[in-house]
Amino acid sequence: MKKILIFDAYPAIRQLLAEELTTEGHVTMSVGKAEILKESVARFEPDLIVLDLYTRGGILWDLLEDLKSRYPAVPVLLFTAFHPQEIPRFKQADGWVQKSFQFEELKEKIRVLLAQRENPSAFRQPILAKDSNQIGFPGSSSSAALTSVH
């Protein structure tokens, strides 16, 4: 059982992700406000963070940079509508999944990043799949504000 922190400005998306990941056997915490994210990460101690950087107030690049500097061993998976080729700063994250309501790709990338966290010597940078807008990981078969805990 792994702990996954979900950050998204939209409650419905947080709830859907939490329900889906809970059925996979994970414990989740959902956060919708950037002001309490750092405190939530420190308190919850997640094994992985699913992060949407786009909020109603703009894109929170500083938040990603701060999370990666404070918690370098915790993988950050961006769950976003943007494509990484459009924004080079996405490379600060450990992976990304384009937002959709097809959760299989998201769950596969979560499995890969959690496995990489368990075995850091096997960590590899995410790669962009050929002829695709999908990102994949070597060895993967796929192109792979209240706080609530589920």
Side-chain angles (χ1 to χ4, degrees):
M1 167 177 24
K2 299 295 182 181
K3 298 189 315 187
I4 300 175
L5 188 139
I6 300 163
F7 177 78
D8 197 291
Y10 297 95
I13 292 174
R14 290 194 310 268
Q15 183 177 356
L16 281 170
L17 286 175
E19 287 175 8
E20 191 72 21
L21 294 173
T22 300
T23 63
E24 293 284 311
H26 301 293
V27 175
T28 65
M29 173 184 270
S30 300
V31 179
K33 291 188 179 185
E35 303 83 46
I36 62 170
L37 180 60
K38 293 175 196 171
E39 174 189 325
S40 299
V41 172
R43 187 177 68 227
F44 187 58
E45 299 179 344
D47 296 298
L48 182 132
I49 299 169
V50 175
L51 182 70
D52 183 7
L53 289 176
Y54 181 77
T55 66
R56 294 174 179 117
I59 300 176
L60 304 174
W61 294 117
D62 293 342
L63 187 61
L64 174 60
E65 292 168 1
D66 187 54
L67 287 172
K68 290 309 292 179
S69 68
R70 285 181 191 233
Y71 308 100
V74 179
V76 175
L77 179 63
L78 296 180
F79 189 53
T80 181
F82 296 104
H83 189 281
Q85 289 179 327
E86 297 168 4
I87 304 173
R89 293 174 88 178
F90 274 6
K91 292 179 182 164
Q92 297 171 27
D94 298 287
W96 73 278
V97 176
Q98 199 156 14
K99 269 191 178 180
S100 83
F101 291 99
Q102 300 291 327
F103 291 119
E104 292 309 311
E105 181 184 6
L106 175 68
K107 291 188 291 186
E108 173 64 18
K109 289 189 181 165
I110 285 170
R111 281 189 287 275
V112 169
L113 288 173
L114 288 172
Q116 288 174 342
R117 184 166 193 240
E118 290 290 316
N119 186 3
S121 63
F123 178 77
R124 295 185 180 98
Q125 291 294 325
I127 57 171
L128 190 63
K130 292 180 182 178
D131 303 321
S132 172
N133 289 340
Q134 305 300 315
I135 198 163
F137 293 88
S140 171
S141 62
S142 72
S143 310
L146 297 174
T147 304
S148 60
V149 178
H150 301 275

